[in-house]
C-alpha cells in the first residue's frame, strides 16, 4: 500500500477530495462559481470549522449576517455554528477551496509534528 494518494481535479462546479484521496482527518473541496452565482443554501456545522481559500476571482461570504468581501489570495476561517453562504461577484467568477476539519482537533503542527528523516 502506498503512503500517498494523488487526484486530478477537472473543471466542474465542485469536486470533493475525501474519497478521491482517502482522506481521514479532513474534507477538502474545490469549488467554482460563475459570475453572479452563489451557493444555493445557507449552512452551518455541528462540529467542523471551515477554512476557505480564494484561488481566483472575487465574491463575498455572508457569515452570521456580515458580508465579507473576498478576492484571490484571501483565507477565511469560519466557526462551526456560524451561518454562511458564498457567492461570486456579478462581474467575475470565483474559484475557492473549502477545507473542513473538526474544531479543536489539531494536537500538533509544523515542527511539533514533523520528524526529520536522515
Amino acid at each position: 500500500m502506498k503512503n500517498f494518494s494523488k487526484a486530478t481535479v477537472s473543471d466542474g462546479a465542485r469536486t470533493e477530495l475525501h474519497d478521491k484521496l482517502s482522506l481521514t482527518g479532513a474534507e477538502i473541496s474545490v469549488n467554482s462559481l460563475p459570475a453572479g452565482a452563489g451557493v444555493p443554501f445557507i449552512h452551518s456545522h455541528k462540529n467542523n470549522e471551515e477554512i476557505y481559500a480564494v484561488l481566483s476571482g472575487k465574491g463575498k461570504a455572508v457569515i452570521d449576517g456580515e458580508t465579507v468581501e473576498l478576492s484571490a489570495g484571501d483565507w477565511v476561517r469560519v466557526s462551526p455554528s456560524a451561518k454562511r453562504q458564498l457567492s461570486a461577484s456579478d462581474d467575475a467568477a470565483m474559484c475557492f477551496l473549502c477545507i473542513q476539519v473538526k474544531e479543536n482537533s489539531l494536537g500538533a503542527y509544523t515542527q511539533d509534528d514533523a520528524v526529520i528523516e536522515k
Side-chain angles (χ1 to χ4, degrees):
M1 179 184 211
K2 294 182 199 178
N3 286 327
F4 68 92
S5 300
K6 178 185 175 192
T8 300
V9 175
S10 59
D11 291 337
R14 180 177 171 87
T15 302
E16 293 182 354
L17 297 177
H18 181 266
D19 292 336
K20 291 181 180 291
L21 293 175
S22 301
L23 299 176
T24 63
E27 170 62 287
I28 302 172
S29 63
V30 182
N31 304 270
S32 295
L33 294 170
V39 175
F41 53 85
I42 298 169
H43 76 285
S44 62
H45 287 274
K46 296 174 187 171
N47 299 300
N48 295 338
E49 65 188 10
E50 289 183 322
I51 301 99
Y52 294 98
V54 181
L55 303 176
S56 63
K58 61 183 180 175
K60 68 179 178 181
V62 178
I63 305 167
D64 287 339
E66 182 177 340
T67 299
V68 179
E69 298 297 328
L70 299 171
S71 60
D74 287 345
W75 289 76
V76 179
R77 182 236 176 226
V78 183
S79 296
S81 64
K83 294 174 178 61
R84 78 237 28 203
Q85 185 176 31
L86 278 75
S87 60
S89 68
D90 288 335
D91 62 346
M94 183 171 68
C95 182
F96 62 95
L97 293 178
C98 178
I99 304 165
Q100 191 178 131
V101 294
K102 185 174 181 183
E103 186 177 44
N104 298 315
S105 65
L106 186 61
Y109 57 94
T110 313
Q111 291 182 0
D112 292 338
D113 188 55
V115 177
I116 305 300
E117 304 289 339
K118 294 185 183 202

